[in-house]
Amino acid sequence: TTKRKPGKRALPFLEGLLPIDPARVPSELIAGATLGALAIPLWQRLAPYQQNRLLTFLNPEIDPRAAGYHAIQSRVAIGSGGWFGQGFTDGPQKRLAFLPAQHTDFIFSVVGEELGFLGVLAALMLFLMLFLVLLRIARRATDPFASLVVFGILALFFTHVFENVGMTVNLMPITGIPLPFFSYGGSFFLVCCMSVGLVLRAAWDARRRDFELPVHYRRQGQLADRARTAARRFLAREGAGELAGTE
C-alpha cells in the first residue's frame, strides 16, 4: 500500500473551493484564511522550543513534565491560596520547590499562594495607583520631552506587569519578564529605581512651575497697578495744567 502525502489530502478541499463566488464569501473568512496562510511559514521558522512554548500556552497538559510544568505549577499555587492564602512564608508550592523561578518570574504566584485573592487584589491595586500617578505626572509635565519620558516609563511598567501576571495565570505565554518591585534581581530593580527617579524629577519640575506661576502673575499685577497709578497721576497733572491755562 502506498502512503498518501499531506498535499493530496488537501487537494479535494481546494477543488471544492473553486466554484465559490468570491463576492459572497464573508470578509472574516477571507481574513482568517489569509492569516492562516501567512502563519504557516512563520510557524516553520520558529525553533522547536518556541513552538512548544506556544503549544503549551494553549494547552499545558500536553507536556506536563517539561514545557507545561511552569504553567501548571503556577496555577496550582495561585488556586491553592484561596481568599486569604496559606500564610506568609507557608506556601507548600514554594517551600517544597514545586514552583520554579519562584523568586523572579513567578513571584506573583507566591503572592497568590501565601496572601490569597485579597493579597493579589491589593498588589494589583497598588500597581493601578502607580499607573494613575504616572499618567497624572505625564499630563502635567513642563515640556513634551518630560511627558514622553514619563509615558515611556509607564509603558515599561505596564507591559511588565501585564505579561508577568498574565503568564502566571496562563493568559499569556511564559517569558522571562520580571515583575517590577517584586521580582528579585539587581539590574532590573536598579532600572526601576532610576525610572522612578526620572519621574520624580519631572513631577518636581511641574510642581515648581505651579508655585512660580502665581508669583509671576502677582508681579505682573503689581506692575499693572503701578502703571495705572502713574497714568492717573499723569492725567491729573495734565488736567490741572489745562485748568490753570484757561484761568
Side-chain angles (χ1 to χ4, degrees), residues 85-136:
Q86 301 287 343
F88 185 64
T89 69
D90 291 336
Q93 291 290 111
K94 186 196 73 172
R95 288 190 296 104
L96 300 177
F98 286 110
L99 184 64
Q102 54 188 245
H103 60 291
T104 53
D105 298 342
F106 289 91
I107 187 66
F108 193 77
S109 303
V110 177
V111 175
E113 182 184 25
E114 296 184 352
L115 303 181
F117 176 77
L118 298 180
V120 168
L121 184 62
L124 294 179
M125 290 300 296
L126 289 176
F127 279 119
L128 179 61
M129 292 174 59
L130 175 63
F131 297 155
L132 294 177
V133 170
L134 292 178
L135 183 62
R136 183 170 178 265

Side-chain angles (χ1 to χ4, degrees), residues 26-244:
S27 58
E28 293 83 0
L29 181 60
I30 297 177
T34 304
L35 293 177
L38 294 176
I40 294 176
L42 294 178
W43 176 261
Q44 294 175 351
R45 294 184 61 180
L46 294 177
Y49 77 94
Q50 294 174 332
Q51 295 177 354
N52 291 333
R53 181 171 294 181
L54 292 177
L55 290 175
T56 53
F57 163 65
L58 298 176
N59 184 16
E61 302 295 337
I62 63 176
D63 194 5
R65 295 186 177 181
Y69 180 80
H70 295 68
I72 294 174
Q73 297 301 324
S74 176
R75 289 191 300 177
V76 170
I78 295 178
S80 63
W83 284 92
F84 304 101
Q86 301 287 343
F88 185 64
T89 69
D90 291 336
Q93 291 290 111
K94 186 196 73 172
R95 288 190 296 104
L96 300 177
F98 286 110
L99 184 64
Q102 54 188 245
H103 60 291
T104 53
D105 298 342
F106 289 91
I107 187 66
F108 193 77
S109 303
V110 177
V111 175
E113 182 184 25
E114 296 184 352
L115 303 181
F117 176 77
L118 298 180
V120 168
L121 184 62
L124 294 179
M125 290 300 296
L126 289 176
F127 279 119
L128 179 61
M129 292 174 59
L130 175 63
F131 297 155
L132 294 177
V133 170
L134 292 178
L135 183 62
R136 183 170 178 265
I137 294 174
R139 295 179 59 183
R140 299 181 59 186
T142 55
D143 57 278
F145 178 75
S147 178
L148 290 177
V149 169
V150 179
F151 268 119
I153 295 173
L154 172 61
L156 171 68
F157 288 161
F158 177 78
T159 52
H160 275 72
V161 172
F162 182 79
E163 170 61 28
N164 187 276
V165 175
M167 76 179 187
T168 56
V169 293
N170 201 31
L171 293 179
M172 296 292 293
I174 295 178
T175 55
I177 293 182
L179 188 64
F181 305 108
F182 276 75
S183 296
Y184 173 82
S187 59
F188 180 69
F189 184 73
L190 180 62
V191 170
C192 292
C193 292
M194 293 174 63
S195 302
V196 172
L198 294 175
V199 172
L200 292 177
R201 177 63 185 182
W204 170 250
D205 290 340
R207 181 66 61 87
R208 186 176 59 180
R209 181 197 60 182
D210 294 339
F211 280 119
E212 291 178 353
L213 283 178
V215 176
H216 174 73
Y217 290 144
R218 193 181 307 117
R219 292 175 180 175
Q220 293 292 333
Q222 293 175 357
L223 293 176
D225 293 339
R226 292 177 183 176
R228 285 192 293 267
T229 303
R232 292 195 191 99
R233 292 177 180 177
F234 177 77
L235 293 175
R237 291 173 184 175
E238 290 294 328
E242 291 180 358
L243 291 176

